[in-house]
């Protein structure tokens, strides 16, 4: 499932609300990306943190420094090297839980992953766990790029700007 929209439209907030709702009824694993120092409309933030959600989240700090703006680079962000070790520990915790994952949330997949970095290797390991549903947060302009990175097309695409985005996500997950 792709939850897509433009920069700053509320994709992460919508995904976080869904994860919080579902955490009480099933196993949710993943993370949402939180913007710090948002610039002008349509421009990415100065930095991003990851907030873990779901069963393994309680083992880790509430937020993890993830991306720092690096103007002059493409994409214009650099991954925080210290975050990689924490994300590896998180992945081990997720893999160590034998229960089926009802919802895997990955926020956000984009240009960094298209270049072989970011969450790409984690995606491959998480995919092997065969979650019942996967929600990927993605910029609308990069939907096809991300499908190529993930190696499959999205079954469902939901526009985060739609007033009924959250109810649509609920309906899609109930139908699975």
């Amino acid at each position: 499932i792709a939850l897509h929209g433009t920069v700053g439209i509320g994709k992460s907030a919508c995904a976080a609300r869904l994860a919080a709702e579902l955490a009480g009824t099933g196993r949710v694993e993943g993370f949402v990306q939180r913007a710090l120092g948002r610039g002008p409309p349509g421009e990415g933030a100065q930095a991003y943190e990851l907030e873990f959600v779901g069963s393994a989240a309680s083992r880790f700090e509430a937020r993890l420094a993830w991306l720092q703006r690096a103007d002059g680079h493409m994409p214009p962000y650099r991954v925080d090297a210290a975050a990689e070790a924490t994300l590896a520990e998180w992945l081990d915790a997720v893999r160590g839980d034998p229960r089926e994952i009802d919802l895997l949330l990955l926020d956000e997949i984009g240009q960094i992953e298209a270049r072989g970095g970011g969450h790409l290797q984690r995606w491959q390991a998480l995919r092997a766990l065969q979650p019942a549903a996967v929600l990927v947060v993605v910029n609308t302009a990069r939907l096809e790029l991300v499908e190529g990175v993930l190696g499959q097309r999205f079954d469902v695409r939901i526009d985060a700007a739609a007033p009924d985005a959250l109810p649509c996500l609920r309906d899609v997950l109930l139908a699975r």
Side-chain angles (χ1 to χ4, degrees):
I1 305 164
L3 178 61
H4 67 92
T6 57
V7 173
I9 199 72
K11 301 178 298 287
S12 298
C14 183
R17 281 193 298 276
L18 179 70
E21 287 180 15
L22 296 178
T25 60
R27 183 176 176 204
V28 175
E29 297 291 0
F31 40 81
V32 292
Q33 187 170 275
R34 301 293 190 177
L36 302 174
R38 181 72 71 192
E43 183 178 300
Q46 292 301 307
Y48 290 92
E49 294 177 328
L50 292 182
E51 181 179 336
F52 293 107
V53 297
S55 302
S58 63
R59 301 179 193 174
F60 300 93
E61 297 220 10
R63 294 207 176 168
L64 174 68
W66 174 235
L67 299 175
Q68 293 292 321
R69 183 170 280 285
D71 291 325
H73 294 90
M74 194 52 173
Y77 293 98
R78 292 285 179 221
V79 173
D80 185 299
E84 289 294 344
T86 302
L87 283 160
E89 290 175 28
W90 170 81
L91 180 57
D92 287 343
V94 170
R95 284 193 250 188
D97 185 336
R99 297 175 297 147
E100 179 183 25
I101 298 172
D102 297 298
L103 176 66
L104 174 64
L105 168 57
L106 302 175
D107 178 11
E108 174 168 330
I109 303 295
Q111 292 180 5
I112 293 172
E113 289 75 19
R115 294 173 184 251
H119 303 302
L120 184 59
Q121 288 148 350
R122 274 177 291 287
W123 159 246
Q124 293 163 346
L126 290 162
R127 184 180 192 177
L129 299 174
Q130 300 179 321
V134 178
L135 176 61
V136 177
V137 176
V138 60
N139 186 299
T140 300
R142 296 187 187 91
L143 277 165
E144 287 77 21
L145 172 72
V146 171
E147 286 177 331
V149 168
L150 299 179
Q152 65 186 65
R153 295 188 54 78
F154 290 110
D155 295 331
V156 178
R157 295 176 175 193
I158 296 175
D159 186 342
D164 63 344
L166 188 56
C168 284
L169 282 168
R170 286 185 201 115
D171 290 346
V172 167
L173 291 172
L174 284 173
R176 291 187 176 266

